[in-house]
Amino acid sequence: MRIYKAKDYDEMSRKAANIISAQVILKPDCVLGLATGSTPIGTYKKLIEWYEKGDLDFSEVTSVNLDEYKGLDKENDQSYYYFMHTNFFNYVNISPDSINLPNGMEPDSDKECARYDEVIRSVGGVDLQLLGLGHNGHIGFNEPAEEFKKGTHCVDLQASTIEANARFFASMDEVPKQAYTMGIRTIMSAKKILVVVSGADKAGIVKKAFTGPVTPHVPASLLQMHSDVTVVGDAAALSELDI
Ligand code: F6R
């Protein structure tokens, strides 16, 4: 595991974007596994900037996103489809046909999970998987549990997540209660993994996940077993590590 300490969020974003750029330049038809959340927004901004300068070309890239809320359509501004388009895809030349996310509007979970696993298999797996880190050690929507869930699966969101999301919706009924997420085996099968972390509130979980015991109670701890993981964090997020 390589760990890069950046002085702040901006430097973290530039470093992470550098690593993604290197992947796209070395393998223009690569498969990028992408994440939503607040942490990678700056990384996407840098990639857009460099694309606009003519330094990057996404025309042959395929993307597969980690997760999506079940029950939200593409137009819903809380959907991850919407997030990815408004924060990244709409501003670069990735082909719309090469963009993949779980379909939140498919009510049959077994069918959608099997479809998404087949999508990932058919594109040849992920070359570089970008991940954020949840405060409880979750990656994608793989929450702390008694065991690692392997393939794409449907997750019942924790009550705290549902409550936290309620502010974005007109009524409690509209708040998603479930989500589709790539499983741990899929994430671990990526050839390279890039984790971005920012802020002092992540310092404790960074230490636990990357130096503590490997356990499904801290899903990100399994990344210690992957042979090519790069963590890019700002000084605040890495402050509890001895580096
Ligand atoms: C996003 C995702 C989540 C986030 C994590 C961190 O697609 O699957 O696991 O990466 O919750 O979120 P932020 O970056 O908002 O702290």
Side-chain angles (χ1 to χ4, degrees):
M1 182 174 282
R2 275 177 302 273
I3 301 184
Y4 286 111
K5 192 175 196 163
K7 67 174 189 301
D8 54 22
Y9 180 78
D10 195 53
E11 196 176 290
M12 178 211 75
S13 301
R14 200 167 64 244
K15 188 77 189 169
N18 265 314
I19 293 168
I20 298 170
S21 297
Q23 174 67 67
V24 173
I25 291 166
L26 288 170
K27 189 178 177 198
D29 61 348
C30 64
V31 177
L32 297 180
L34 298 177
T36 61
S38 54
T39 318
I41 290 177
T43 304
Y44 293 138
K45 279 207 176 102
K46 292 278 177 234
L47 292 173
I48 293 168
E49 200 181 303
W50 297 338
Y51 164 73
E52 285 171 348
K53 275 170 70 183
D55 290 345
L56 278 176
D57 176 11
F58 293 91
S59 62
E60 291 178 60
V61 167
T62 296
S63 71
V64 285
N65 257 82
L66 276 172
D67 41 17
E68 178 60 283
Y69 287 116
K70 186 174 176 182
L72 295 194
D73 61 31
K74 294 173 176 177
E75 283 74 40
N76 190 307
D77 63 4
Q78 297 304 316
S79 74
Y80 287 173
Y81 180 97
Y82 188 94
F83 175 101
M84 286 309 300
H85 283 77
T86 50
N87 283 289
F88 187 48
F89 297 146
N90 287 350
Y91 304 100
V92 296
N93 65 337
I94 188 167
S95 159
D97 297 338
S98 304
I99 293 171
N100 299 285
L101 287 98
N103 175 11
M105 291 311 283
E106 174 52 64
D108 182 337
S109 300
D110 290 345
K111 187 174 162 197
E112 180 52 17
C113 294
R115 182 196 71 83
Y116 204 58
D117 278 340
E118 177 53 25
V119 166
I120 298 165
R121 198 202 57 76
S122 69
V123 297
V126 175
D127 289 298
L128 175 65
Q129 177 66 55
L130 175 63
L131 295 176
L133 177 66
H135 287 104
N136 59 3
H138 73 222
I139 44 178
F141 266 119
N142 293 275
E143 298 285 0
E146 294 304 319
E147 55 174 18
F148 294 113
K149 284 265 173 52
K150 299 173 184 72
T152 302
H153 55 284
C154 181
V155 185
D156 292 326
L157 299 179
Q158 293 186 347
S160 57
T161 308
I162 297 170
E163 272 161 38
N165 285 342
R167 67 187 190 280
F168 300 120
F169 295 87
S171 77
M172 205 59 186
D173 289 348
E174 290 174 38
V175 187
K177 313 285 185 302
Q178 291 183 310
Y180 291 123
T181 183
M182 266 187 205
I184 290 288
R185 182 185 55 212
T186 315
I187 294 172
M188 287 296 283
S189 301
K191 294 186 188 81
K192 293 183 167 61
I193 295 180
L194 169 62
V195 188
V196 284
V197 274
S198 169
D201 54 321
K202 294 278 174 79
I205 193 61
V206 163
K207 184 173 185 193
K208 247 190 184 173
F210 303 133
T211 66
V214 174
T215 160
H217 294 287
V218 183
S221 65
L222 191 61
L223 298 174
Q224 294 179 52
M225 310 302 282
H226 192 283
S227 60
D228 195 343
V229 175
T230 305
V231 177
V232 182
D234 59 18
L238 303 188
S239 59
E240 289 190 29
L241 298 185
D242 298 324
I243 54 165

